[in-house]
């Protein structure tokens, strides 16, 4: 509200800049800064140093999904992921179809910002040792939601993977400020698979 100019244009810039920010990648952040500078920094705007029409649109990944470092996209269902994983990735990686499957819980922020080196390394190590991997993530702090949606039988809540690894550093339900141990226990009891928190921060 403190910036001069057309309100409709300001609203559009705000929405696009917010989407760039939430996208989090270096390309998104560069586009956000160029968009703001091109409209509101006098020395840049007056000399038209930034072509606003050529700035990329925000690229935002879904708030939840199934991720793999070698996959061409984020998957929105276990069926879609398994179609790609078993027909494309397994033959290339030399992993047998009857190998045990490790379910992995991740944070969206590391994937969106491409700060995912530790995730990539963990997936590669699991697969190097002969296991299949299914990684799910969320942008919230209830990590049990994607576990129930993608890694569990929707009718019984029992795991469709052989074990579950939490790489978020947080409880399955809750973040650094609060945890719901009772809710997490209920989910894990129904899930009925070995559970490992490999990066316990809280």
């Amino acid at each position: 509200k403190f910036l001069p100019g057309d309100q409709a244009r300001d609203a559009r810039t705000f929405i696009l800049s917010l989407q760039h920010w939430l996208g989090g990648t270096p390309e998104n952040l560069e586009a956000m800064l160029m968009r703001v500078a091109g409209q509101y920094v006098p020395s840049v705007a007056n000399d038209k140093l930034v072509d606003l029409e050529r700035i990329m649109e925000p690229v935002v990944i879904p708030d939840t999904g199934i991720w793999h470092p070698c996959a061409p996209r984020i998957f929105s269902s276990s069926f879609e992921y398994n179609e790609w994983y078993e027909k494309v990735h397994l033959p290339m990686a030399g992993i047998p179809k009857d190998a045990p499957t490790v379910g992995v819980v991740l944070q969206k922020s590391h994937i969106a910002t491409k700060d995912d080196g530790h995730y990539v390394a963990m997936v590669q190590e699991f697969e190097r040792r002969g296991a299949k991997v299914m990684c799910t993530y969320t942008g919230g702090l209830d990590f049990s939601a994607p576990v129930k949606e993608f890694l569990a039988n929707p009718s019984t809540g029992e795991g469709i993977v052989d074990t579950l690894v939490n790489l978020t550093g947080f409880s399955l339900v809750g973040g650094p400020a609060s945890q719901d141990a009772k809710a997490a226990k209920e989910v894990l009891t129904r899930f009925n698979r070995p559970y490992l928190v490999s990066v316990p921060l809280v």
Side-chain angles (χ1 to χ4, degrees), residues 104-174:
V104 187
V105 188
L106 310 174
Q107 281 187 306
K108 177 186 176 183
S109 58
H110 289 291
I111 297 170
T113 60
K114 301 189 188 304
D115 180 26
D116 57 5
H118 54 310
Y119 290 169
V120 173
M122 184 66 82
V123 170
Q124 290 176 336
E125 184 62 18
F126 281 139
E127 293 184 338
R128 185 187 72 81
R129 295 185 179 218
K132 298 189 292 185
V133 181
M134 182 181 287
C135 301
T136 186
Y137 71 88
T138 180
L141 291 176
D142 182 2
F143 300 104
S144 71
V147 169
K148 291 184 289 186
E149 181 176 358
F150 300 116
L151 304 180
N153 182 307
S155 301
T156 64
E158 187 171 359
I160 61 172
V161 295
D162 296 290
T163 190
L164 182 64
V165 178
N166 184 340
L167 285 183
T168 68
F170 300 119
S171 167
L172 191 65
V173 182

Side-chain angles (χ1 to χ4, degrees), residues 47-95:
D47 293 339
K48 294 183 171 31
L49 299 179
V50 174
D51 186 349
L52 297 173
E53 298 300 319
R54 298 184 61 185
I55 296 177
M56 63 172 268
E57 292 295 308
V59 177
V60 181
I61 69 171
D63 196 52
T64 187
I66 303 175
W67 170 88
H68 190 284
C70 297
R73 62 186 175 89
I74 302 293
F75 297 93
S76 59
S77 73
S78 300
F79 176 79
E80 290 180 351
Y81 176 78
N82 286 325
E83 279 284 296
W84 168 81
Y85 195 74
E86 294 188 2
K87 292 181 179 179
V88 178
H89 187 70
L90 285 188
M92 181 179 63
I95 302 170

